[in-house]
Amino acid sequence: MATMKDIAKRAGVSTSTVSHVINKTRYVSDEIAARVNQAAKDLNYSPSALARSLKMNRTKTLGMLVTTSTNPFFGEVVKGVERSCYQKGYNLILCNTEGDDHRMKESINTLLEKRVDGLILMCSALEGEHIDAFDRFPGVPVVVMDRGPVHFACDKIQDNSLLGGFMATNYLIECGHREIGCITGPLKIHQAYMRYEGFKKAMTNAKLPINPAWVAEANFECDGGVDAFEHICQRGPLPSALFVGNDMMAMGVVNAAHARGIRIPQDLSIIGYDDIYIAKYITPPLTTIHQPKHRLGTAAVEALVNRLDKHKTDAQVVHLEPTLVVRDSVREYIA
Ligand code: RIB
């Protein structure tokens, strides 16, 4: 394997000149640059990312943790992150935590030991946790996405879930519904809690009572939506509409309702949250709250790279606003 020293000898220049030409870290005359590049070609030289990272003290690699890759929401955010990394010349190492606190801490430690230049964290086990690895690797920029209070310095990119939950519920009210239930995500997760708070705020504003028989907590997954809907069914008559805290649970509810012969939206209106790619392809196409997933991803990379390049010190919080997407799973309700 040819080295920079071999190139320098063949081109008749110093090794540092070879390094400047290959890493483009300083101007070198066209004539010398041509000699160096020709020597590199003749020797079939392949730059070493490891050597470059040691010299530049940068690996041009970012690490990202997500809760799970099975929820399309994360896949769509990761797509935005990965595309932005590519455009900015960075690589991405992606880890799943599956909600496991120990696995999350292990992954963060591994990524920092691999000297990633920054970390993007979007995992539920993070909230309220102290991450020892950050004490051992101080100064590594971290962006927390889509999660709540954390006990370490970081930038934050967040959906306004309080507004989103309010918008979803208020839309049902504007469609004439008065008996409205809510299936929440895990309330220990900040976004799930804030969507539920948004639901309660809209109901209070409209002076509508909240029937606890129509409220159930689930796990942000399809199976959790099914179980929560079954519990609500077993408690007695159904409401005319349900706000479900994410599209994955909403798809579970639609499936469980169909199995019971309950028609959506004729018998029961459903509104979800996230606007994942498949939401418009289920039957009926899901009315939901759109989270700007791609922008969540690109904003996270921009926050990290800005901090790496400009050494920004002040922590920043970027709020991304949700929007209503009306499809076919909610009907006008006439009492
Ligand atoms: O953890 C899964 C959920 O959290 C997603 O569906 C999205 O709503 C995120 O906030």
Side-chain angles (χ1 to χ4, degrees), residues 5-289:
K5 196 172 179 182
D6 300 323
I7 297 169
K9 189 174 179 185
R10 188 180 183 90
V13 299
S14 69
T15 309
S16 67
T17 298
V18 171
S19 171
H20 288 311
V21 170
I22 287 172
N23 292 316
K24 298 179 176 57
T25 45
R26 197 187 71 191
Y27 172 75
V28 176
S29 73
D30 293 347
E31 187 270 331
I32 290 177
R35 273 175 31 214
V36 170
N37 287 323
Q38 186 56 53
K41 190 177 176 184
D42 296 345
L43 295 170
N44 197 25
Y45 171 75
S46 173
S48 157
L50 178 60
R52 184 168 52 243
S53 63
L54 289 172
K55 183 174 181 61
M56 314 273 280
N57 196 26
R58 280 277 187 92
T59 57
K60 300 291 277 186
T61 302
L62 302 181
M64 182 172 185
L65 271 70
V66 296
T67 302
T68 171
S69 298
T70 53
N71 181 335
F73 168 83
F74 291 106
E76 293 177 42
V77 172
V78 168
K79 181 179 176 182
V81 168
E82 209 281 329
R83 182 178 294 173
S84 187
C85 283
Y86 176 75
Q87 289 165 349
K88 295 177 184 295
Y90 280 81
N91 298 303
L92 183 71
I93 303 176
L94 178 65
C95 302
N96 278 287
T97 64
E98 306 286 346
D100 179 322
D101 178 46
H102 177 71
R103 185 168 167 188
M104 174 191 69
K105 291 179 178 177
E106 284 279 293
S107 297
I108 290 175
N109 194 60
T110 301
L111 290 170
L112 291 173
E113 286 179 350
K114 287 183 179 296
R115 297 297 190 273
V116 293
D117 293 331
L119 278 173
I120 300 173
L121 306 179
M122 191 167 76
C123 41
S124 44
L126 195 64
E127 298 189 358
E129 286 294 325
H130 177 80
I131 311 291
D132 295 335
F134 290 152
D135 300 332
R136 292 197 305 281
F137 296 91
V140 175
V142 178
V143 170
V144 172
M145 290 174 65
D146 184 62
R147 285 299 181 254
V150 290
H151 298 320
F152 49 81
C154 64
D155 294 321
K156 295 186 80 171
I157 317 289
Q158 262 193 340
D159 160 58
N160 187 341
S161 282
L162 175 68
L163 174 61
F166 179 88
M167 288 166 66
T169 310
N170 208 47
Y171 175 68
L172 296 173
I173 294 167
E174 287 172 353
C175 288
H177 295 277
R178 296 294 175 268
E179 295 183 340
I180 304 171
C182 182
I183 293 177
T184 76
L187 292 175
K188 67 179 170 52
I189 294 179
H190 182 72
Q191 303 305 83
Y193 178 80
M194 294 312 290
R195 289 171 202 166
Y196 182 45
E197 288 299 303
F199 162 78
K200 290 190 285 187
K201 183 179 174 185
M203 296 293 278
T204 303
N205 279 13
K207 297 181 177 48
L208 294 174
I210 295 174
N211 181 344
W214 295 334
V215 177
E217 181 178 358
N219 62 357
F220 268 152
E221 301 298 338
C222 295
D223 63 341
V226 171
D227 294 345
F229 181 67
E230 292 300 334
H231 286 144
I232 290 174
C233 290
Q234 287 154 21
R235 293 171 185 166
L238 289 176
S240 66
L242 280 173
F243 163 44
V244 186
N246 82 342
D247 290 350
M248 292 293 277
M249 295 190 295
M251 290 193 293
V253 173
V254 169
N255 184 268
H258 178 73
R260 282 176 169 264
I262 296 168
R263 299 168 302 161
I264 309 291
Q266 296 85 337
D267 303 325
L268 176 67
S269 289
I270 303 284
I271 185 167
Y273 202 107
D274 286 339
D275 192 19
I276 55 178
Y277 178 68
I278 54 177
K280 54 181 168 293
Y281 295 108
I282 68 169
T283 302
L286 189 64
T287 296
T288 186
I289 299 294

Side-chain angles (χ1 to χ4, degrees), residues 268-321:
L268 176 67
S269 289
I270 303 284
I271 185 167
Y273 202 107
D274 286 339
D275 192 19
I276 55 178
Y277 178 68
I278 54 177
K280 54 181 168 293
Y281 295 108
I282 68 169
T283 302
L286 189 64
T287 296
T288 186
I289 299 294
H290 176 82
Q291 277 213 73
K293 297 166 286 299
H294 193 267
R295 280 174 52 225
L296 268 167
T298 52
V301 175
E302 280 160 13
L304 271 188
V305 173
N306 284 342
R307 190 167 290 283
L308 286 164
D309 291 352
K310 297 171 187 166
H311 308 296
K312 285 170 65 76
T313 51
D314 54 319
Q316 57 173 341
V317 180
V318 176
H319 275 294
L320 299 175
E321 297 306 314

